[in-house]
């Protein structure tokens, strides 16, 4: 290890780094548990066709969630700069504007995915049962993205302002 790099590292920030990482780890853990539960439920009640549809959704979910994550991370960066400058008005405005415009864009994308759900699912399989399940899953998933965007904006702004305890509430 480069000795100059080791000298520049301050262990007093380790606690803050852990606090900032814990919400992200909790989200990842809950997402994994959600997927296990959802897949088991889908196979039990919908059969293998429904499970195959989940595979289609898993292939395209990042396209749907990209806006939510992008807005959240960008809002966090702007809030971080404003927090460093002690500009609380800008932090509040960042939250309001990111939530407002991000929600509008996410709603537009949800409508787009609603309309394109069948053609997108049809690109990945020709099985009509799987396509029908995938269309419904894509549509339901797309509608819920507005809530995900708001959560991502909220979490990233608070983490950027060293308010990690608020994220747990």
């Amino acid at each position: 290890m480069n000795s100059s790099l080791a000298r520049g590292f301050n262990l007093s920030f380790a606690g803050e780094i852990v606090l900032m990482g814990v919400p992200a780890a909790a989200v990842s853990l809950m997402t994994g548990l959600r997927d296990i539960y959802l897949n088991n439920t889908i196979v039990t009640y919908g059969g293998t066709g429904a499970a195959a549809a989940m595979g289609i959704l898993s292939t395209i979910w990042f396209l749907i969630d990209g806006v939510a994550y992008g807005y959240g991370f960008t809002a966090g960066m702007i809030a971080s700069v404003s927090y460093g400058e002690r500009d609380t008005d800008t932090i509040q405005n960042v939250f309001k504007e990111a939530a407002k415009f991000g929600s509008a864009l996410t709603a537009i994308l949800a409508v787009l995915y609603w309309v394109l759900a069948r053609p997108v699912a049809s690109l990945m399989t020709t099985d009509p049962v799987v396509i029908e399940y995938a269309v419904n899953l894509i549509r339901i998933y797309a509608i819920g993205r507005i809530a995900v965007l708001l959560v991502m904006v909220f979490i990233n702004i608070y983490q950027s302002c060293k308010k990690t305890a608020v994220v747990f509430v």
Side-chain angles (χ1 to χ4, degrees), residues 39-88:
N39 285 335
N40 286 328
T41 303
I42 282 177
V43 168
T44 301
Y45 294 104
T48 55
M54 267 308 278
I56 291 173
L57 178 63
S58 296
T59 303
I60 64 165
W61 77 267
F62 69 93
L63 296 172
I64 299 171
D65 280 351
V67 172
Y69 293 141
Y71 262 86
F73 295 145
T74 303
M77 287 186 280
I78 295 169
S80 179
V81 170
S82 300
Y83 179 78
E85 295 174 349
R86 307 279 189 252
D87 185 359
T88 56

Side-chain angles (χ1 to χ4, degrees), residues 75-168:
M77 287 186 280
I78 295 169
S80 179
V81 170
S82 300
Y83 179 78
E85 295 174 349
R86 307 279 189 252
D87 185 359
T88 56
D89 290 338
T90 299
I91 295 169
Q92 291 173 351
N93 287 335
V94 166
F95 181 78
K96 288 178 192 172
E97 296 303 315
K100 182 171 46 175
F101 290 113
S103 295
L105 181 58
T106 305
I108 291 167
L109 289 174
V111 169
L112 183 66
Y113 273 99
W114 187 277
V115 172
L116 295 177
R118 189 166 306 281
V120 168
S122 298
L123 288 173
M124 299 184 196
T125 186
T126 56
D127 185 336
V129 172
V130 175
I131 290 172
E132 199 57 39
Y133 278 120
V135 166
N136 291 331
L137 285 172
I138 291 167
R139 288 176 175 171
I140 291 167
Y141 194 82
I143 290 169
R145 298 307 89 192
I146 293 173
V148 170
L149 176 125
L150 295 173
V151 168
M152 290 302 297
V153 167
F154 178 82
I155 286 173
N156 282 287
I157 286 176
Y158 276 94
Q159 283 182 333
S160 296
C161 297
K162 296 184 177 185
K163 307 290 184 209
T164 54
V166 174
V167 174
F168 289 115

